[in-house]
Amino acid sequence: MARTLILMRHGKSGYPPGVADHERPLAPRGQREAGLAGEWLRRTQPPIDAVRCSTATRTRETLAATGITAPVEFEPSIYEASPRSLIELVQLTDDAIDTLLVIGHAPGMPWTAWELAANRDSAAAADLSRKFPTSALAVLEFDRPWADADTGTGELVRFHVPR
């Protein structure tokens, strides 16, 4: 019963004048790197069964740029979510889903990856602890139902920064 959770930070965003934070779009670099992230996901990870994505413009544009076409739920609570809130969201995932992609923001994505990881002494954890830049992806595996995914129960198997 292997489950894969992929936590992705949105691509690099722009800062147009007069645009509220929630509505900021991706910058050209963000579009490019999110596309690279999508290529990496298709090449190296199991097929994604479902996506949960923040409602912010930059996360929605990140998802579009990845080219991932799995069913998606746009979830307002991912914006500014704490690790506990994000873990609880993951715990609500249907067990028919083997691979879940969550697209959100910092500090939620890096802190959640760190909280879930049991192997904080791994090379992937060392990379994650240095920096979780835009478009970065943390891949965690669980040997339990989603409802039992909690602090220290996942194996951080990859940390990737598409550049």
Side-chain angles (χ1 to χ4, degrees):
M1 169 189 4
R3 309 237 185 271
T4 302
L5 172 64
I6 303 166
L7 299 173
M8 180 178 187
R9 185 177 173 197
H10 62 76
K12 178 71 175 162
S13 58
Y15 292 87
V19 175
D21 183 70
H22 192 272
E23 307 311 318
R24 287 190 296 120
L26 286 182
R29 180 181 122 195
Q31 287 280 346
R32 182 180 60 78
E33 291 173 353
L36 292 172
E39 291 172 16
W40 182 82
L41 286 167
R42 282 185 291 283
R43 190 175 67 251
T44 68
Q45 298 305 302
I48 294 169
D49 300 312
V51 178
R52 293 226 170 95
C53 183
S54 164
T55 56
T57 300
R58 60 191 176 274
T59 53
R60 295 169 75 100
E61 289 181 356
T62 295
L63 174 59
T66 66
I68 300 298
T69 58
V72 61
E73 289 180 30
F74 293 101
E75 180 56 56
S77 69
I78 294 173
Y79 184 76
E80 297 185 344
S82 69
R84 175 57 23 211
S85 296
L86 290 166
I87 291 169
E88 289 171 359
L89 184 68
V90 168
Q91 291 171 337
L92 296 174
T93 303
D94 187 306
D95 281 330
I97 293 168
D98 292 325
T99 303
L100 174 66
L101 170 63
V102 179
I103 303 175
H105 310 267
M109 293 296 105
W111 289 357
T112 302
W114 187 257
E115 285 294 311
L116 289 169
N119 58 327
R120 294 182 183 169
D121 59 347
S122 68
D127 290 344
L128 183 149
S129 71
R130 281 191 278 284
K131 189 173 183 185
F132 200 112
T134 53
S135 294
L137 303 120
V139 181
L140 296 112
E141 291 181 354
F142 297 87
D143 63 355
R144 62 196 68 229
W146 290 114
D148 297 333
D150 210 338
T151 300
T153 62
E155 198 70 19
L156 180 64
V157 293
R158 298 285 297 269
F159 180 69
H160 179 71
V161 180
R163 297 285 187 257

